[in-house]
Amino acid sequence: GAGVSQTPSNKVTEKGKYVELRCDPISGHTALYWYRQSLGQGPEFLIYFQGTGAADDSGLPNDRFFAVRPEGSVSTLKIQRTERGDSAVYLCASSPPGSTEQYFGPGTRLTVT
Amino acid sequence: AQSVTQLGSHVSVSEGALVLLRCNYSSSVPPYLFWYVQYPNQGLQLLLKYTTGATLVKGINGFEAEFKKSETSFHLTKPSAHMSDAAEYFCAVSPSGTYKYIFGTGTRLKVLA
């Protein structure tokens, strides 16, 4: 079946602009996660959704970052007033009910110029 | 705070030689443990996981890992390296009671002909 998909695969934006990154989880997966992977680092947790609600958003670095999952499926990560330090690969993952195993998408590479 | 340490950001082995990638975690409670592999321009793929039960875990592509509680380690091994094993490997923990992963900084494996 289809895996986790993320769009766009690459996004280049200017400093100060607003961006949206989309994640389409595996069908039937109730949990959804966002991570950020900076160059040479491992992924860092940003936010976790269980259904439509954010169960844990402790990893969001500041209030410029926001994520939604209005219907419990597709999620959008929104970044306002982008900064060059936001440049990274943003990964999305999903899990089936009752499982801690996460299935990762290919990521969106964000470059802020 | 929970942390994961992967010793050696780069490891080189000859084709056919033993692969050993090290992972240590800090946790007062045994967490769930995972190894993921990331090929260039691809998403993270689960190699193996430890949740409970047998401490020697076998995964895909001939990899295995052993959970050693006394050493807080979860090292990844493969008896004989193949050229196709060249990739970046990430160790991750999911602290007991949470679903978010904490990743190590990764080890890039190079396989020499």
Side-chain angles (χ1 to χ4, degrees):
Chain A
V4 177
S5 63
Q6 293 186 245
T7 54
S9 55
N10 280 284
K11 175 72 176 177
V12 180
T13 191
E14 293 180 349
K15 179 176 179 295
K17 299 289 188 183
Y18 167 83
V19 296
E20 290 190 351
L21 312 179
R22 176 188 168 109
C23 172
D24 215 321
I26 294 171
S27 177
H29 283 197
T30 52
L32 186 147
Y33 312 80
W34 284 98
Y35 292 83
R36 178 168 69 174
Q37 186 175 14
S38 300
L39 195 62
Q41 300 295 317
E44 285 182 288
F45 170 79
L46 296 176
I47 187 169
Y48 154 54
F49 287 90
Q50 186 60 253
T52 60
D56 184 347
D57 65 358
S58 62
L60 294 177
N62 52 60
D63 61 5
R64 295 187 298 105
F65 288 74
F66 190 70
V68 296
R69 195 186 185 199
E71 297 177 359
S73 178
V74 170
S75 176
T76 305
L77 179 65
K78 308 179 181 198
I79 309 174
Q80 299 177 321
R81 304 183 304 280
T82 52
E83 300 177 356
R84 292 196 180 87
D86 298 335
S87 297
V89 175
Y90 289 81
L91 297 169
C92 177
S94 67
S95 294
S99 172
T100 56
E101 185 171 328
Q102 296 181 21
Y103 296 79
F104 283 82
T108 293
R109 183 175 298 279
L110 175 66
T111 303
V112 182
T113 61
Chain B
Q2 307 275 355
S3 66
V4 177
T5 302
Q6 290 185 240
L7 283 176
S9 57
H10 292 79
V11 170
S12 294
V13 299
S14 298
E15 193 174 18
L18 171 72
V19 176
L20 170 61
L21 304 182
R22 299 178 186 274
C23 174
N24 289 86
Y25 65 91
S26 68
S27 175
S28 57
V29 177
Y32 294 171
L33 296 154
F34 306 83
W35 275 99
Y36 279 83
V37 60
Q38 188 174 37
Y39 297 101
N41 300 316
Q42 293 188 30
L44 292 161
Q45 180 183 3
L46 181 68
L47 277 177
L48 48 79
K49 64 179 179 182
Y50 170 80
T51 54
T52 59
T55 56
L56 181 62
V57 180
K58 294 187 185 299
I60 62 171
N61 301 339
F63 284 93
E64 61 182 38
E66 186 171 9
F67 169 58
K68 292 187 176 180
K69 183 179 176 182
S70 61
E71 298 177 10
T72 60
S73 69
F74 191 56
H75 301 331
L76 182 70
T77 60
K78 181 174 180 178
S80 177
H82 294 165
M83 298 298 289
S84 60
D85 294 328
E88 186 142 27
Y89 292 79
F90 291 94
C91 180
V93 303
S94 178
S96 182
T98 73
Y99 286 87
K100 64 185 180 186
Y101 285 7
I102 298 170
F103 282 88
T105 52
T107 298
R108 186 169 299 277
L109 177 66
K110 186 174 181 179
V111 182
L112 306 171

